[in-house]
Amino acid sequence: MIPQHIAIIMDGNGRWARMRGKERSEGHIAGMDALRETVRNVAQVGVKYLTVYAFSTENWGRPQAEVDALMELICKGVEMESAELMKVGIKVVAIGDRSRFSDKVKASLEKIEQLTHAGENMTLVLALNYSSRSEITTAVRNLAQRVAQGEVRPEDIDEQMISSALYTSFMPDPDLIIRTSGECRLSNFLMWQASYSEFYFTPTLWPDFDKAELERALEVYSARDRRYGLVK
Ligand code: FPP
């Protein structure tokens, strides 16, 4: 079984750099290369949605030079990859709170979304300034406002309505969540959406995540028995 939606926590860029005596930002550049390859490989196996955790709301707390390098990488990545993504039919969508980004980053994101909007092969979702708790908080606030305005009755609020109020309303929940670098936690990523996801943790650092690693993750996923709380 090929998952319809894979989500990835791309972790370990900093450690990859340190092991080589390089700056952390060089680890992120290597991480970008791994992302480019992974997008290609994931699209090739027929997955329809790939969500990557590229910048969390907590990442603003990193040294300013590293935050700047990541912002630069987002803009550069958009600039360099747009044409190729259009050519191969990959639509790019960014989720998260964009208000804190500079005008330059905001413009880059709007540009790549516009350029690739007709892509039908796969949707690449970039989680940027994203966290599950802030996503859920925003959704609750919006629903409360609709209740206050008399548009919605409290008893009408169901799981579907909450899912529809999240950034991810346009896609199915992730079937498989991959986290690299040996950490086994969700770190504020897709908490609502991960209710029935399968998890795959690998000690491999993100810059080293290659096609063979993806194939291994897909193999493990195929062998899992997804019961959704039911019996077979
Ligand atoms: C985690 O490694 C990675 C990040 C915080 C950034 C991920 C970014 C990329 C892979 C490239 C940029 C992608 C886009 C879409 C612009 P870490 O720094 O936490 O590593 P560590 O745990 O070893 O310190």
Side-chain angles (χ1 to χ4, degrees):
M1 271 284 287
I2 293 295
Q4 227 194 329
H5 180 182
I6 298 181
I8 307 183
I9 302 174
M10 308 180 290
D11 199 3
N13 294 347
R15 275 162 284 170
W16 183 93
R18 200 176 54 223
M19 279 165 57
R20 288 163 178 76
K22 297 180 181 212
E23 294 290 327
R24 292 179 59 81
S25 56
E26 291 183 69
H28 296 313
I29 292 171
M32 189 66 153
D33 294 337
L35 177 58
R36 189 182 302 111
E37 281 308 302
T38 300
V39 169
R40 193 183 308 250
N41 294 332
V42 167
Q44 261 167 16
V45 294
V47 169
K48 298 312 281 182
Y49 298 89
L50 172 65
T51 303
V52 293
Y53 207 2
F55 194 87
S56 75
T57 53
E58 289 78 19
N59 288 156
W60 294 108
R62 294 192 173 198
Q64 192 57 42
E66 184 175 347
V67 172
D68 291 345
L70 281 165
M71 294 301 131
E72 180 73 27
L73 208 52
I74 295 170
C75 294
K76 263 208 187 133
V78 164
E79 195 67 41
M80 286 167 59
E81 308 299 332
S82 293
E84 172 74 8
L85 291 167
M86 275 167 77
K87 201 170 86 188
V88 296
I90 294 178
K91 174 179 177 163
V92 177
V93 177
I95 60 167
D97 175 11
R98 289 188 207 193
S99 64
R100 199 168 161 184
F101 289 119
S102 68
D103 289 344
K104 189 176 166 206
V105 172
K106 281 184 209 152
S108 284
L109 296 175
E110 277 161 27
K111 187 172 167 197
I112 198 163
E113 285 177 332
Q114 270 169 18
L115 287 173
T116 62
H117 83 278
E120 285 184 344
N121 285 333
M122 186 179 84
T123 301
L124 170 63
V125 182
L126 304 175
L128 292 165
N129 195 24
Y130 173 89
S131 86
S132 256
R133 288 186 178 183
S134 76
E135 174 184 45
I136 293 168
T137 304
T138 304
V140 168
R141 200 178 293 140
N142 291 341
L143 287 174
Q145 202 152 27
R146 292 179 60 197
V147 170
Q149 285 164 349
E151 277 174 45
V152 169
R153 292 178 305 173
E155 59 270 32
D156 291 336
I157 296 177
D158 58 9
E159 293 184 9
Q160 187 48 51
M161 199 180 284
I162 294 174
S163 291
S164 302
L166 301 175
Y167 292 128
T168 51
S169 59
F170 61 92
M171 62 178 165
D173 288 340
D175 301 293
L176 171 64
I177 297 181
I178 297 173
R179 183 168 188 155
T180 57
S181 90
E183 312 294 351
C184 300
R185 54 178 176 265
L186 203 45
S187 300
N188 222 342
F189 186 52
L190 303 178
M191 292 190 305
W192 171 274
Q193 299 86 340
S195 296
Y196 288 102
S197 302
E198 294 294 331
F199 288 84
Y200 178 80
F201 299 107
T202 170
T204 299
L205 304 175
W206 175 250
D208 294 326
F209 190 89
D210 59 9
K211 194 169 184 194
E213 284 283 344
L214 175 69
E215 282 167 356
R216 205 162 307 137
L218 290 172
E219 215 170 282
V220 169
Y221 171 80
S222 295
R224 298 267 172 92
D225 181 17
R226 300 185 81 192
R227 291 191 300 274
Y228 301 94
L230 305 173
V231 286
K232 270 272 151 90

